Amino acid sequence: MYKYMLKHKLLTVFNIAFTIIDSALNVALALVLKLLFEAGSSGSIIELRNAIVVFSLYIFVSSIVWMILKALRASLLRKCLTDLKNQIFTKIIYRSINVFNEENSAKSISLLTNDINILEQDYYTNLFELLTNLVGFIIATIALIRLNIYIALFIFILELIPLSMPVVFGKSLSKHKNKYSDSIGLFTVKIKDIFSGFEVVKGFNIEKRILKDYSISNGEAELARYRYNIFAGITDSLALAFGLIMFLGTIGLSRYFVINGKMTIGYMIAATQLMNNIVNPLVALSSRLNRLKSTKLIEDKINDILNKEDGSVEGISKNSFDDKICFNNVSFSYDGEKNVLKNVNFTIEKGRKYAIVGNSGGGKSTVLKLLLRYYDNFSGDILIDGIDNRNIKAEDLYKLVTIIHQNIYMFDSSIKDNITLFEGYDDTDVENAIKKAGLGALINKLDHGINSAVGENGCNLSGGEKQRIAIARAIIKNTPILVIDEATSSLDNETSYNIENSILNIPDLTCIVVTHKLNEDILKRYDEILVLKDGTLSEKGTFGELMGKKGFFYNLYNVA
Ligand SMILES: Nc1ncnc2c1ncn2[C@@H]1O[C@H](COP(=O)(O)OP(=O)(O)O)[C@@H](O)[C@H]1O
Ligand SMILES: [Mg+2]
């Protein structure tokens, strides 16, 4: 984590320099106090006046130094955290879909929010304070040795106790902190989940049940925080108690020297103040070291993300689709037990149009997901122009194939942005996509037309409108292969017929359309219909051929 500081060398150097000046000023307070006390007890007005001037000057200088130091720290902190969060996010966003799917995204969300806050407090801020403590401690120790070696020795021996505490408690503290960080992560996800299902919660009157769920999760997170706080509290209090013992010891010892005439009262004040400058940092030092150690596991989590293979294959770059896609004996299971696809074989030829139909849960969406390499642990091969899709650069694969999903994600922006996905397309391209996707009437109706806001995940739009935007989004991308997963399910028959028609009319476009709307006029337009039944490809052929077979497709069609 310190490497983020090293990236801003000058700022770090300034931070260190001002930390040292600040610590030195802290220690100098002992000498200023000594001056003030001696002037006060001497009875000389001039000496007192001078001492007050020095004291005022001290307050002035140290508050300025303090302000500069805070500003420098804030600035370094901002830079480090921005870099760190950018680096983590960049790593995640460039992951391949299969690697991203391996993990609960909640973990990453929590890492970028909660864990970063813990790091800010317990690593960076703590590290600066640690430096203040360390420098203060060293300067005060040197000053005390020069003042009175016996008191210095006494403190040295006792200070071994608080210093050993990080060794004794560090591991458990780290464990508690990690549990706390994990449970806060789960809690974040819970809330996110509940809020995204808000309408279901209301519509089914399940507030009570959700509240119970929430309470459990909340309780667990707070319990973990409580345990951590208790544990940290115990170590802190122990350190504090040792500090007090040392404080009393020092007063007793200096008092002894004063009685024996080996020390003035001014020196005694200075020694006590110096002792404060030794003990306080030391007490803080041990708990700070503990806290620093406890961030180790968060650091590990971050390193895990940063070092994880992102699944992008260096592999083959492929810029055109020339011939065909072959599924050869493809079998796949999500959970390693139930085979969702079983020895599926088919060929998709360039420029032709294919429909995939079948029973619900039959594996239609899975076929598309495998083609797009959302998972790569299938057996058999999926070859695009003879190249295994697992060896094609992900970026290139998505330049060849566009998918329109069943569930459409909308960015909280305008209709136009959701069609172009923030790329600068020509107005004519945008208009063409709008026309083909059947969006013209909708856009004309809206006050702000194409610049109307769609709302959070498209909440201002109907399901059918979202589907048409998704279709326009795919059309404008203009890839040689278009894959559609029941993307017209929310549309009325006429609209869906028109859209499917306009897509099927795009020459040279290779289309694979999963559909459960078995409309004769449309189905007849496909070059081939692939029929999936419980994970096996049970039939394939043209509409006429399949109807003639009077098999599974025939039954599906007649039921629909
Ligand atoms: N992410 C997943 N994890 C586990 N099982 C899944 C997942 N997605 C789909 N399945 C299962 O795989 C089977 C096929 O699903 P899918 O391909 O979505 O069917 P279809 O699109 O034909 O309705 C179903 O039994 C479904 O429950
Ligand atoms: Mg499906």
Side-chain angles (χ1 to χ4, degrees), residues 129-166:
E129 293 291 331
L130 202 65
L131 187 64
T132 308
N133 292 157
L134 205 66
V135 175
F137 171 76
I138 292 170
I139 300 178
T141 305
I142 294 171
L144 190 63
I145 290 175
R146 298 189 59 144
L147 203 71
N148 187 312
I149 182 80
Y150 299 105
I151 298 179
L153 271 177
F154 165 76
I155 291 174
F156 269 141
I157 292 165
L158 275 190
E159 77 196 9
L160 291 177
I161 301 171
L163 268 186
S164 63
M165 288 183 35

Side-chain angles (χ1 to χ4, degrees), residues 90-272:
T90 308
K91 189 75 190 178
I92 295 174
I93 204 78
Y94 276 109
R95 276 183 179 172
S96 67
I97 296 174
N98 56 326
V99 170
F100 185 82
N101 281 341
E102 277 168 18
E103 234 167 52
N104 187 339
S105 61
K107 263 168 84 183
S108 315
I109 296 176
S110 177
L111 191 75
L112 279 169
T113 52
N114 307 318
D115 287 348
I116 292 288
N117 288 344
I118 297 183
L119 266 195
E120 182 213 327
Q121 289 297 323
D122 289 357
Y123 189 86
Y124 288 109
T125 307
N126 197 17
L127 207 60
F128 296 137
E129 293 291 331
L130 202 65
L131 187 64
T132 308
N133 292 157
L134 205 66
V135 175
F137 171 76
I138 292 170
I139 300 178
T141 305
I142 294 171
L144 190 63
I145 290 175
R146 298 189 59 144
L147 203 71
N148 187 312
I149 182 80
Y150 299 105
I151 298 179
L153 271 177
F154 165 76
I155 291 174
F156 269 141
I157 292 165
L158 275 190
E159 77 196 9
L160 291 177
I161 301 171
L163 268 186
S164 63
M165 288 183 35
V167 184
V168 181
F169 295 108
K171 229 189 188 129
S172 313
L173 198 65
S174 189
K175 204 181 75 202
H176 281 296
K177 173 155 289 176
N178 203 42
K179 276 195 183 149
Y180 165 45
S181 139
D182 282 351
S183 63
I184 283 284
L186 290 174
F187 180 64
T188 314
V189 176
K190 185 100 230 161
I191 298 175
K192 193 182 137 236
D193 248 23
I194 292 174
F195 287 166
S196 47
F198 194 74
E199 286 161 19
V200 179
V201 174
K202 299 306 288 183
F204 288 82
N205 294 326
I206 52 168
E207 291 96 337
K208 275 211 181 86
R209 147 104 216 127
I210 292 294
L211 207 57
K212 203 171 133 206
D213 244 26
Y214 167 86
S215 304
I216 292 173
S217 188
N218 187 19
E220 275 165 6
E222 288 310 319
L223 182 67
R225 193 208 302 266
Y226 166 80
R227 286 194 175 132
Y228 168 70
N229 281 340
I230 291 280
F231 202 81
I234 290 173
T235 52
D236 284 357
S237 328
L238 280 177
L240 207 70
F242 282 116
L244 277 179
I245 292 172
M246 287 167 78
F247 181 70
L248 284 180
T250 314
I251 291 190
L253 207 60
S254 2
R255 170 105 187 102
Y256 167 81
F257 287 120
V258 172
I259 286 172
N260 284 323
K262 295 205 172 97
M263 236 188 189
T264 64
I265 287 283
Y267 269 102
M268 178 176 156
I269 296 288
T272 318

Side-chain angles (χ1 to χ4, degrees), residues 364-365 406 485-486:
K364 303 182 293 294
S365 298
Q406 243 165 324
D485 193 355
E486 298 195 23

Side-chain angles (χ1 to χ4, degrees), residues 1-2 31 47 51 65 91 109 161 291 318 412 417 429 432 459 465:
M1 297 300 105
Y2 58 86
L31 306 179
E47 252 182 64
V65 166
K91 189 75 190 178
I109 296 176
I161 301 171
R291 283 168 61 184
K318 174 144 184 54
D412 188 3
D417 290 341
D429 289 341
N432 173 44
C459 64
E465 286 161 353

Side-chain angles (χ1 to χ4, degrees), residues 12 34 51 56 72 178 228 366 400 405 435 440 546:
T12 307
K34 173 173 163 279
S56 313
L72 284 171
N178 203 42
Y228 168 70
T366 306
L400 295 180
H405 285 284
K435 209 172 112 213
L546 291 175

Side-chain angles (χ1 to χ4, degrees), residues 101 332-335 338-341 356-369 375 406 485-486 514 532 535:
N101 281 341
F332 176 68
S333 163
Y334 284 101
D335 53 11
K338 191 182 129 214
N339 258 358
V340 169
L341 294 180
I356 302 183
V357 301
N359 63 323
S360 162
K364 303 182 293 294
S365 298
T366 306
V367 164
L368 304 186
K369 285 181 193 162
Y375 301 90
Q406 243 165 324
D485 193 355
E486 298 195 23
V514 169
L532 272 175

